[in-house]
Amino acid sequence: MTKLNVAENLNMSQYYLSHLKELESEAIFVIREVVAQFEKPALLFSGGKDSIVLAYLSRKAFYPARIPFPLVHIDTGHNFPETMEYRDWLVNELGVKLIVGSVQESIDKGRVKEETGWNASRNALQTVTLLDTIEKYKFDAAMGGARRDEEKARAKERFFSHRDEFGQWDPKNQRPELWNLFNGRKHMGEHFRVFPISNWTEMDVWQYIYTEQIPIPKLYFSHEREVIVRDNAILSTSPWLKLKPGETPTRKIVRFRTCGDMPITGAVESTADTLEKIIEEVAASRKTERGTRADDKRSETAMEDRKKSGYF
């Protein structure tokens, strides 16, 4: 490596560290603003990399005190075992309260109806469970790890995203956020979804995880797994994935870019078994991480339709 290359690499490293520090400061400011403006905030936790980063940012925001709000996990019952194992470890590691909303309980109560068919999913059913959980605990702000670069519907969100008394989102009725001034005023029964890492990209998240050495679920690293290929998506076999005639499971070396439900979360073939290799892979990828999610392929407006009804 020449001296010029060394200097260029040092300059790039300093740029990325400075860039991440700016994003970190912005996110921490938003998190603190939520606690200042709202009476009962919560952090929506899926076990995915974005909500993990948000949990660690929350710890930084209030250190040495503990995180002053609970983590809320909407459990579909179709989660990856690795995700649930990590969730329980993290709750203990951070010393934070965990509240779990159960989709199975919503089904048992008749609040939602289980889907049937080859592509059945509990993903859409989460909305009712989430809104019921928010109502039960009277949360007036629910923070999430959504980012604007993930999907076109999420690109329409503000940091403070207003929800009406039915938990619904109106993309045409977004409040201006000038000079980092956030309007958290609401009427009785309304609440806000707040997205502190809105301006982050997938690459930013991975570089932050690498820089801060944040532990993440094993799913994100390359491993051998039994899968099927359906509609160009690599899906992990599970008790909840009904095989079509002619579908035969095979074993592949894969990893996951997102951590959703097992029946709808597609893997990618990959040998990236370290954070450095994941960062290299993401830099070279021309496909968004949600491109592997079967639930987003149901229609052109699948995500926006779910968000309007109260989804994450």
Side-chain angles (χ1 to χ4, degrees):
M1 183 180 291
T2 65
K3 290 184 179 180
L4 179 61
N5 287 337
V6 171
E8 287 176 345
N9 286 336
L10 286 174
N11 287 336
M12 288 301 293
S13 297
Q14 291 170 356
Y15 165 77
Y16 281 125
L17 285 175
S18 173
H19 175 62
L20 291 176
K21 283 298 180 183
E22 288 183 12
L23 289 173
E24 178 190 70
S25 296
E26 178 183 63
I28 287 175
F29 173 78
V30 174
I31 293 168
R32 288 173 174 167
E33 192 70 13
V34 168
V35 172
Q37 288 200 38
F38 297 97
E39 295 182 6
K40 293 200 70 176
L43 192 159
L44 301 178
F45 185 78
S46 67
K49 63 185 183 304
D50 302 309
S51 60
I52 291 169
V53 165
L54 196 53
Y56 275 88
L57 287 167
S58 298
R59 180 165 76 169
K60 271 197 174 188
F62 303 102
Y63 187 83
R66 291 190 177 185
I67 297 173
F69 42 76
L71 303 189
V72 175
H73 178 225
I74 303 303
D75 181 8
T76 65
H78 291 176
N79 299 285
F80 285 91
E82 296 92 333
T83 302
M84 302 300 284
E85 177 185 346
Y86 181 89
R87 181 201 71 181
D88 295 339
W89 171 85
L90 184 66
V91 167
N92 183 65
E93 171 72 11
L94 299 181
V96 67
K97 181 180 179 182
L98 173 67
I99 292 174
V100 178
S102 170
V103 172
Q104 183 61 55
E105 186 176 315
S106 297
I107 294 171
D108 294 342
K109 290 181 177 179
R111 294 282 293 144
V112 292
K113 185 178 180 180
E114 184 90 76
E115 290 185 3
T116 59
W118 302 113
N119 296 312
S121 166
R122 287 186 172 184
N123 191 56
L125 309 188
Q126 295 180 83
T127 299
V128 171
T129 307
L130 172 61
L131 294 177
D132 286 349
T133 303
I134 289 174
E135 173 62 25
K136 177 179 179 181
Y137 292 95
K138 306 301 180 185
F139 294 128
D140 52 1
M143 289 180 283
R147 311 184 321 269
R148 293 193 181 107
D149 77 318
E150 287 182 277
E151 205 272 343
K152 56 188 177 183
R154 285 183 166 167
K156 299 178 182 180
E157 293 277 20
R158 300 286 197 268
F159 280 106
F160 276 34
S161 183
H162 175 262
R163 297 297 196 271
D164 65 19
E165 64 271 27
F166 301 106
Q168 296 176 328
W169 172 65
D170 181 0
K172 296 181 180 179
N173 186 27
Q174 297 284 293
R175 298 176 180 182
E177 294 178 341
L178 305 175
W179 306 293
N180 286 333
L181 296 175
F182 304 117
N183 182 355
R185 294 183 180 181
K186 59 181 177 56
H187 296 294
M188 181 67 69
E190 299 175 345
H191 72 278
F192 277 80
R193 305 289 172 84
V194 182
F195 306 107
I197 62 171
S198 287
N199 288 334
W200 296 45
T201 65
E202 183 186 12
M203 178 62 82
D204 294 328
V205 170
W206 281 117
Q207 288 178 332
Y208 190 77
I209 289 171
Y210 174 76
T211 302
E212 298 291 316
Q213 290 297 292
I214 297 174
I216 56 174
K218 295 178 287 186
L219 287 170
Y220 284 113
F221 297 104
S222 175
H223 60 283
E224 185 177 340
R225 198 176 197 96
E226 185 179 84
V227 299
I228 65 164
V229 178
R230 177 183 295 175
D231 299 329
N232 296 320
I234 302 174
L235 301 175
S236 176
T237 57
S238 72
W240 311 291
L241 183 66
K242 186 178 180 181
L243 298 182
K244 295 180 180 180
E247 287 184 333
T248 303
T250 59
R251 299 194 71 83
K252 291 181 180 289
I253 304 298
V254 301
R255 75 176 192 87
F256 292 86
R257 292 177 70 184
T258 65
C259 285
D261 273 8
M262 293 189 75
I264 61 171
T265 304
V268 293
E269 293 191 68
S270 170
T271 58
D273 55 2
T274 66
L275 287 173
E276 293 91 339
K277 291 179 181 178
I278 289 175
I279 290 172
E280 290 177 3
E281 186 177 273
V282 170
S285 177
R286 291 298 175 265
K287 188 175 183 179
T288 175
E289 71 238 63
R290 289 199 69 92
T292 63
R293 293 289 290 269
D295 51 321
D296 287 351
K297 298 178 181 180
R298 292 192 171 192
S299 73
E300 284 293 322
T301 60
M303 171 64 82
E304 183 158 336
D305 291 341
R306 295 199 303 273
K307 287 179 67 63
K308 286 180 178 178
S309 65
Y311 185 73
F312 299 96

